[in-house]
Amino acid sequence: MKWFVRSLLIILILVMLAVGGVYFFLQSTKPKYTGKITLEGLQKTAKIHYDKHGVPHIGADNMEDAYFALGYAHAQDRLFQMDLMKRMGSGRLSEFFGKKTIETDRLMRTLGIAENAKASAAEFRKNPDAPHYKATMAYIAGVNQFIKKGKAPAEYTILGVEREELTLEHVYHILGYMGFSFATGHRTDPLLTELNKKLGAKYLKDLRIDTADDSLKIPTYNPSGNDSLPNVNTGGIASAIHDIVQQMPVATWFGSNSWVVSGKLTQSGKVLLANDTHIKYAQPSVWFEAHIEYPGFSFYGNHLAGIPFGIVGHTRHHAWGLTMLENDDIDFYTEKLNPQNSNQVWATNKWESLKIRYEVIKVKGGDNIRIRVKTSRHGPIINDVLVNKAEKETAAAVKPKKEKKKGEEKDKKAKKTKLKAPKLKIGKKKKDKKEDKQEDKTDTTAKSTKATRPLPRYETPISVYWTFTKFKNKSLEALFNLSHSKSMREVERAVSTIHAPGLNLMYGDKQGNIAWWAVAKLIKRRDSLNSKFFMDGASGKDEPLGFYKFEENPRSINPPSGFVFSANNQPEKMSDGIYYPGYYVPDHRAKRIKSWLTRTQRWNMSKMQVMITDGISAAYPHLSREFAQVLEKDVVLKTSAKKQERYQEAIAQLKDWKGEHTLESVAPTIYYKMLSHVLHKTLKDEMGTTNFNTFMGLFVMRRTIPYLMQNKNSLWWDNATTLTSKETRADIFREAFVQTMNELEQQLGKKVAKWHWKKMHTLEHKHPLGKGGFPLNRMFDVGPYAVMGGLEVINNQAFKLDHTAKAMKVKSGPAMRLIVDFGNIDKSVSMLPTGQSGNFMSPYYSDQTELFNSGRFRETPMISRDSIQKMRRRKVLVLKPRK
């Protein structure tokens, strides 16, 4: 017995020691917010005051020390996020995550982001005396000092990987990833090309792939004055890129709202600016707030990990916000391959050799992968991204069933079948021996790696023309100049150098000016060309005609209305009278914003806070009533005596819905559930499972909804898998409604009044390591929580319309909410979804979550440099130079 007690005691002590060891280790990785640190690279002492939410207020005597301190502060709270962002852009995630991210790395390498980063960095280094160069290198030095002196976050220990110092090329890799996440065309164009080829124009017209003429456009004001398709297999590209994007461990951009109100509409007589960027939710949140003060400069803004200059923010003179322009800056070309030489394609009137480069993807815990990238004059050949991808389904021919099943039986079967996107498999394919030998002579590196196969001779090469990689990236210089400008014209000159991604830049200043610019290099194309379909890369007839000058881009400067706004909707016509093609979202949010701005007078901070958290839809109640009107007339539903009372109660909810998305609302639960079933029953049979899943993840789907639901004569309503009858819209609505009622009754009970939105609409901020399950998800993930808002409302808490899902789990939404008031700049407000820090041991890891979910705000005062330097309070970190 004594032996047993002693053994138990020893075990208990060992467990306590282990737990204590882990605890003290984790404590040692916490960011340091107080005390003194001596660092190499500083000229003089810099101080960082941390406010109660962990926002650093940096005071320094010169520019370089200020940006050095920012780099240090940014790294100690967001180093792992910074690492993921640069590896995402450079195609090096597999060094951290192994085989899981090979497809992602292959895509990024193929697109040429790293190549563009190398060229852009070389150009940037040519002017080492420029202020933007000195500030950038000081920031990088600050990051690297933390890597040398600070403790590594726990993620590095868990993954068993080492940190590496930040370089200038890495900064451009991050900018490249930002450009990719804005680029909707990578997934949209291949899908639309496939659907057009398989189904034809009559089907596509109801998908609203182009902006409708009657939609609300972004108004401009400037006081100064279908082609035949090649016979090529395209369907796999869209689904492959879609699957890769869904698996990415860092946040992607989805949209945004922003508006600026001039002084003639405000109580203070001064400008108010609001902005909330819509990004895929993740932990940590994408934005890092920081305030910088040095002689002659004061800035408060939102930074991306690894980028020294604020992407959104304000000085005491001016403020700016951003939304995605959604312009079409990506074109896919089908190339004509030389049958005698697979390394040549036809270029108008001659065979032209492809450029070939080799790269090695290092894979943690596995063999390295050697990839070959071929590039035409248009851009990289994308086919190799699809190596070994099993295309399980195609919409080329839908096999009809021998016997029509009843609607209830089909619904039951569909319910049991969960749709899963096919995984990309990386493996070795057979090679052409002669081609292999010739290529091996030109490549003496990485002989031990697994090689990818050459492009098969029977495949049509598909190349990607992407504006982002066609020019050296000048974003760093532009962002520096944007925050250091002294006038609206200087701001305009600064942003005119940004070529991609396309942005709506919203502006307001202390002098009372307001403005909006469409910021991008916009491709000129021939008039009859539809850029959303694959183009002919051989004949020369579809070649780009150049780019518009920045002065020709849409804009609005001090309009008579007294406001400018953007919600990713279509801008008004260009200077040459065309609507610029793009992937613009439906005008639901834009109409709601304009309604607020035109009906509300004497704007102030409190009114603006209510508006930016508004969750009322003016569009969806109209569709909800359309559902109700059709269901009320349905004879079949009236025969269901047992459920008639519940049916009528649910239909009444749909009919009476005013568009609100509060936690206690019932109607959105019924509406979105039914809508997801309607879309599945309507579109999947013609599109096929793979294309349908991809389509449901694109913005074009949201444009499709209002027009398709109201068009009772659409070809889509008929079920292509049945032969004996032709389904109508009423049939689809009835089947979707019955299935919705059955599922909600089973899940939430039989009392319709208790089907509250809060039980269905939840938000969880997932960390990349949280996907590993317990206990990592408990350590790193934040949530889930019930949240207000819904699809395409101002408080745009978006989720996938998945007919198999039991909940509407929010995927993307406001990554921050910001309101700048030039009536009192220190009373401006902001809010992040979770917190400032990416270190889960920090007290600022998730401290803003409750405030954000409830629509509250915190002030963002710009503490003066002298005040920061004189502070003796507990939350001051002093950075001292090593002498």
Side-chain angles (χ1 to χ4, degrees), residues 395-451:
V398 179
K399 296 181 179 180
K401 296 180 181 179
K402 293 181 179 180
E403 186 177 351
K404 178 178 173 65
K405 291 188 176 183
K406 293 181 180 180
E408 290 293 331
E409 292 175 344
K410 287 191 301 178
D411 289 344
K412 191 174 182 180
K413 184 177 180 181
K415 182 181 175 182
K416 291 181 179 179
T417 304
K418 292 186 177 180
L419 303 180
K420 293 185 179 180
K423 295 181 179 179
L424 297 178
K425 296 180 181 179
I426 305 300
K428 198 170 184 179
K429 287 272 186 175
K430 290 183 178 179
K431 286 191 168 188
D432 182 294
K433 294 181 179 179
K434 291 182 180 179
E435 201 170 61
D436 267 353
K437 290 179 180 179
Q438 186 175 357
E439 289 169 355
D440 287 342
K441 290 179 181 178
T442 62
D443 178 33
T444 57
T445 62
K447 289 186 177 180
S448 63
T449 64
K450 289 185 177 180

Side-chain angles (χ1 to χ4, degrees), residues 686-719:
E686 283 92 358
M687 289 186 177
T689 301
T690 302
N691 285 337
F692 174 75
N693 286 341
T694 302
F695 178 79
M696 293 301 290
L698 301 176
F699 276 131
V700 68
M701 175 271 296
R702 299 186 191 179
R703 281 214 304 267
T704 295
I705 290 172
Y707 298 99
L708 181 60
M709 295 302 109
Q710 296 174 87
N711 182 7
K712 64 181 180 181
N713 298 318
S714 175
L715 294 173
W716 290 97
W717 297 120
D718 183 35
N719 190 336

Side-chain angles (χ1 to χ4, degrees), residues 88-106:
M88 185 76 240
S90 59
R92 295 176 55 215
L93 284 174
S94 298
E95 295 176 18
F96 271 19
F97 299 107
K99 295 180 180 180
K100 296 178 182 179
T101 52
I102 289 175
E103 294 93 340
T104 303
D105 288 344
R106 185 192 299 274

Side-chain angles (χ1 to χ4, degrees), residues 370-610:
R370 187 187 69 170
I371 69 169
R372 180 192 58 188
V373 180
K374 292 184 175 183
T375 304
S376 74
R377 69 187 187 283
H378 301 119
I381 307 297
I382 201 71
N383 301 64
D384 275 350
V385 174
L386 308 179
V387 173
N388 277 354
K389 185 182 187 305
E391 293 184 29
K392 296 183 178 179
E393 183 176 349
T394 175
V398 179
K399 296 181 179 180
K401 296 180 181 179
K402 293 181 179 180
E403 186 177 351
K404 178 178 173 65
K405 291 188 176 183
K406 293 181 180 180
E408 290 293 331
E409 292 175 344
K410 287 191 301 178
D411 289 344
K412 191 174 182 180
K413 184 177 180 181
K415 182 181 175 182
K416 291 181 179 179
T417 304
K418 292 186 177 180
L419 303 180
K420 293 185 179 180
K423 295 181 179 179
L424 297 178
K425 296 180 181 179
I426 305 300
K428 198 170 184 179
K429 287 272 186 175
K430 290 183 178 179
K431 286 191 168 188
D432 182 294
K433 294 181 179 179
K434 291 182 180 179
E435 201 170 61
D436 267 353
K437 290 179 180 179
Q438 186 175 357
E439 289 169 355
D440 287 342
K441 290 179 181 178
T442 62
D443 178 33
T444 57
T445 62
K447 289 186 177 180
S448 63
T449 64
K450 289 185 177 180
T452 63
R453 52 93 164 121
L455 189 70
R457 296 186 186 279
Y458 57 81
E459 285 188 14
T460 300
I462 299 171
S463 60
V464 183
Y465 183 99
W466 184 21
T467 301
F468 183 88
T469 56
K470 296 300 179 183
F471 299 90
K472 294 183 177 68
N473 196 325
K474 295 184 178 180
S475 296
L476 283 180
E477 181 179 354
L479 290 171
F480 178 89
N481 291 336
L482 177 57
S483 60
H484 289 76
S485 294
K486 302 299 183 183
S487 69
M488 182 171 66
R489 293 305 174 193
E490 287 185 15
V491 167
E492 185 176 36
R493 284 197 295 271
V495 300
S496 69
T497 62
I498 297 175
H499 73 283
L503 304 168
N504 291 300
L505 189 126
M506 317 300 290
Y507 173 88
D509 64 29
K510 190 176 182 180
Q511 282 71 41
N513 296 301
I514 64 172
W516 154 69
W517 294 278
V519 176
K521 277 191 176 294
L522 301 178
I523 305 171
K524 286 185 177 181
R525 305 176 178 96
R526 63 180 173 87
D527 293 342
S528 59
L529 188 64
N530 192 325
S531 60
K532 291 187 176 68
F533 300 138
F534 282 16
M535 302 177 187
D536 182 0
S539 67
K541 66 176 183 177
D542 292 349
E543 297 300 299
L545 303 179
F547 293 85
Y548 289 93
K549 296 178 181 178
F550 179 77
E551 293 75 20
E552 299 177 279
N553 288 8
R555 66 191 59 212
S556 181
I557 300 173
N558 290 324
S561 65
F563 59 81
V564 293
F565 66 92
S566 164
N568 315 118
N569 54 315
Q570 169 88 56
E572 281 287 1
K573 291 181 178 180
M574 300 279 292
S575 57
D576 59 2
I578 71 163
Y579 287 119
Y580 195 80
Y583 309 95
Y584 309 105
V585 305
D587 59 5
H588 306 336
R589 284 184 283 123
K591 283 183 176 178
R592 183 68 179 172
I593 290 170
K594 185 178 180 181
S595 174
W596 269 97
L597 295 176
T598 52
R599 76 168 186 256
T600 305
Q601 300 296 322
R602 309 293 292 169
W603 281 96
N604 58 25
M605 180 62 75
S606 60
K607 290 181 181 179
M608 200 67 82
Q609 289 179 20
V610 173

Side-chain angles (χ1 to χ4, degrees), residues 700-747:
V700 68
M701 175 271 296
R702 299 186 191 179
R703 281 214 304 267
T704 295
I705 290 172
Y707 298 99
L708 181 60
M709 295 302 109
Q710 296 174 87
N711 182 7
K712 64 181 180 181
N713 298 318
S714 175
L715 294 173
W716 290 97
W717 297 120
D718 183 35
N719 190 336
T721 65
T722 61
L723 297 177
T724 58
S725 65
K726 183 177 180 179
E727 286 77 10
T728 66
R729 184 181 70 161
D731 294 329
I732 300 298
F733 281 10
R734 180 199 322 115
E735 291 181 16
F737 177 71
V738 171
Q739 193 165 349
T740 294
M741 293 297 294
N742 290 339
E743 291 175 359
L744 290 178
E745 286 177 16
Q746 192 174 40
Q747 183 180 345

Side-chain angles (χ1 to χ4, degrees), residues 119-145:
S120 299
E123 184 71 20
F124 192 77
R125 290 190 176 99
K126 290 181 179 179
N127 195 4
D129 294 326
H132 55 264
Y133 179 87
K134 292 180 178 179
T136 299
M137 300 314 293
Y139 172 88
I140 292 172
V143 171
N144 291 335
Q145 272 296 293

